[in-house]
Amino acid sequence: MPFQLPAELAQQPTPFYYYDLQLLDQTLVALTAAARPGNFQVHYALKANSNLPILQRIQQAGLGADCVSGGEVQRALEAGFAPDHVVFAGVGKSDAEISRALAADIFCFNAESVPELQVLNELAGAQGRTARVALRINPNVDAHTHAYITTGLDANKFGISLPDLAGVIDGLDSLLNVELVGLHAHIGSQITELSAFANLSRKLNELQTWLESRGHQLPHLNVGGGLGIDYQHPDQHSIPDFAAYFGMFEQHLERRPGQQVHVELGRAVVAQCGTLMSRVLYVKESQQTRFAILDAGMTELIRPALYGSFHLIQNLSSQGPELAYDIVGPICESSDTFGKAVLLPETRRGDLVAIRSAGAYGEVMSSAYNLREKAEAVYR
């Protein structure tokens, strides 16, 4: 069904983020239905969108929380996520963040290095606690996605390299306040070639067999997230194919009896329910280019400037013949561009423009650069 803004929002001051909560609910129903047959434990990645109204709906649907900062751990707890459904990942956890998460008795830390394990051991001992950890390994699996959001290759900063794993495992015996409960891997984001998850599964199978030969039986595997969405056709594919995603792990991952498999999905849950709404301030024609200058900019949605990413842009006010426009914002940066040579109906000052699939990594990455006021979030 084509995108329609609720009529009561037509005069809402722009820019603003519009969230379709009905679509979010439908996505959560599809996700939980696909995860249930294989008993997958789904954690929502707060870094995609951390707005409380959205988090509360996700928590009520039965998902856990995947956090990458102390602030996200706190936000998850505020939104009602139970501590034993909270996972804390991230390559650079501070002592204060770790201590707060230990005090909350969260389910697990995804540990990324020997120095981090040593700090976890020290801080857990100071509280008289045991830090449950999953070792985040770097499986050297290509996710075939943008270089900035690839996380599972040897060149990336994330995780423990496979050649170093034996030494890390051997060193765990001396860390009396650390309990190894699983392995964790996350190979990247916006992955649309599902074969990457089959490759990850095979790598985890090898590692499990190797760990078992060294006497380690793991109750948990965390295969990360990364499932992509269709930015080109958000109306035709508003809900990702969760069944195909989980099917890759069902088919290729060799799960041990009673072993829980955790996944961390963010973008796939919330991206399509969010739209950045803006108005045209000016239409400006140069010798080479016709510009549509919006009142939204990279301060509201930085992905096109940061990654060169595509978002579908729609003029909701015009039905005229199509012309090519460079869609730009008001920020004092040449990179403040949403799209080049975008075909839109003839566009005029005041036209209402929708920038689609902005529910993930839109508002959560917004800034006050140029002393911009924060755009409002509207839920319907």
Side-chain angles (χ1 to χ4, degrees):
M1 181 177 178
F3 173 79
Q4 289 184 321
L5 187 71
E8 67 269 22
L9 298 180
Q11 301 305 316
Q12 172 80 16
T14 54
F16 66 93
Y17 302 96
Y18 163 63
Y19 293 105
D20 182 344
L21 295 179
Q22 182 177 1
L23 177 56
L24 174 60
D25 289 341
Q26 293 169 351
T27 303
L28 289 168
V29 168
L31 170 58
T32 53
R36 190 177 300 115
N39 194 29
F40 289 93
Q41 309 296 306
V42 183
H43 296 259
Y44 168 68
L46 268 74
K47 66 179 180 178
N49 189 308
S50 56
N51 290 8
L52 275 174
I54 288 174
L55 293 182
Q56 288 164 346
R57 262 182 151 77
I58 291 171
Q59 184 272 328
Q60 290 164 7
L63 276 63
D66 166 53
C67 306
V68 293
S69 73
E72 287 188 358
V73 171
Q74 185 62 37
R75 178 63 62 87
L77 297 175
E78 291 170 356
F81 290 91
D84 62 357
H85 283 72
V86 174
V87 173
F88 188 4
V91 70
K93 308 175 187 74
S94 72
D95 290 17
E97 289 175 317
I98 291 172
S99 294
R100 287 197 296 270
L102 283 167
D105 197 23
I106 67 166
F107 165 62
C108 185
F109 294 84
N110 293 337
E112 307 217 10
S113 67
V114 170
E116 181 187 341
L117 286 165
Q118 292 169 341
V119 170
L120 279 164
N121 182 66
E122 177 184 345
L123 295 176
Q127 293 191 24
R129 297 179 180 273
T130 298
R132 291 177 293 273
V133 303
L135 296 179
R136 177 171 182 176
I137 54 100
N138 188 325
N140 198 30
V141 170
D142 192 348
H144 304 291
T145 187
H146 193 284
Y148 285 7
I149 50 178
T150 295
T151 60
L153 293 174
D154 284 341
N156 301 132
K157 68 180 180 180
F158 301 96
I160 298 165
S161 297
L162 297 182
D164 298 330
L165 187 57
V168 175
I169 294 293
D170 290 342
L172 287 175
D173 290 339
S174 65
L175 303 179
L176 303 181
N177 305 305
V178 167
E179 177 188 2
L180 178 62
V181 298
L183 282 181
H184 172 245
H186 177 67
I187 57 175
S189 187
Q190 186 49 24
I191 299 170
T192 55
E193 293 184 28
L194 296 186
S195 60
F197 299 116
N199 295 335
L200 171 60
S201 296
R202 287 188 282 268
K203 186 72 71 172
L204 289 172
N205 295 339
E206 296 172 8
L207 286 171
Q208 281 216 91
T209 300
W210 176 80
L211 282 166
E212 288 166 350
S213 73
R214 301 173 73 94
H216 292 281
Q217 303 288 331
L218 301 179
H220 304 281
L221 288 180
N222 188 326
V223 297
L227 177 62
I229 65 159
D230 190 342
Y231 282 97
Q232 301 277 344
H233 309 100
D235 293 319
Q236 295 92 321
H237 302 120
S238 58
I239 298 176
D241 190 347
F242 294 116
Y245 169 72
F246 289 115
M248 296 303 290
F249 296 110
E250 289 272 32
Q251 181 178 355
H252 298 284
L253 187 63
E254 296 172 3
R255 186 187 300 197
R256 277 37 177 181
Q259 189 175 56
Q260 285 193 336
V261 177
H262 300 250
V263 302
E264 304 162 347
L265 295 175
R267 181 196 316 265
V269 180
V270 296
Q272 300 290 31
C273 81
T275 301
L276 175 59
M277 300 303 307
S278 182
R279 287 193 184 276
V280 178
L281 293 174
Y282 308 103
V283 176
K284 171 184 173 182
E285 296 195 32
S286 70
Q287 294 298 312
Q288 298 179 327
T289 307
R290 183 183 296 109
F291 296 95
I293 303 172
L294 307 185
D295 60 6
M298 60 190 289
T299 44
E300 286 70 50
L301 182 65
I302 199 173
R303 294 187 71 254
L306 186 60
Y307 306 126
S309 59
F310 174 89
H311 286 260
L312 181 65
I313 301 171
Q314 298 170 304
N315 185 331
L316 304 184
S317 302
S318 175
Q319 305 296 322
E322 288 188 336
L323 297 171
Y325 297 88
D326 280 13
I327 313 298
V328 301
I331 309 304
C332 194
E333 297 286 346
S334 295
S335 58
D336 184 30
T337 300
F338 292 115
K340 292 184 178 294
V342 178
L343 291 176
L344 292 179
E346 188 172 2
T347 297
R348 300 176 177 84
R349 172 176 167 83
D351 282 358
L352 191 61
V353 172
I355 304 177
R356 305 293 304 282
S357 311
Y361 308 110
E363 186 176 0
V364 77
M365 296 179 77
S366 64
S367 77
Y369 184 46
N370 289 184
L371 288 182
R372 297 268 291 174
E373 292 185 7
K374 181 173 173 58
E376 186 179 352
V378 179
Y379 306 89
R380 290 291 187 275

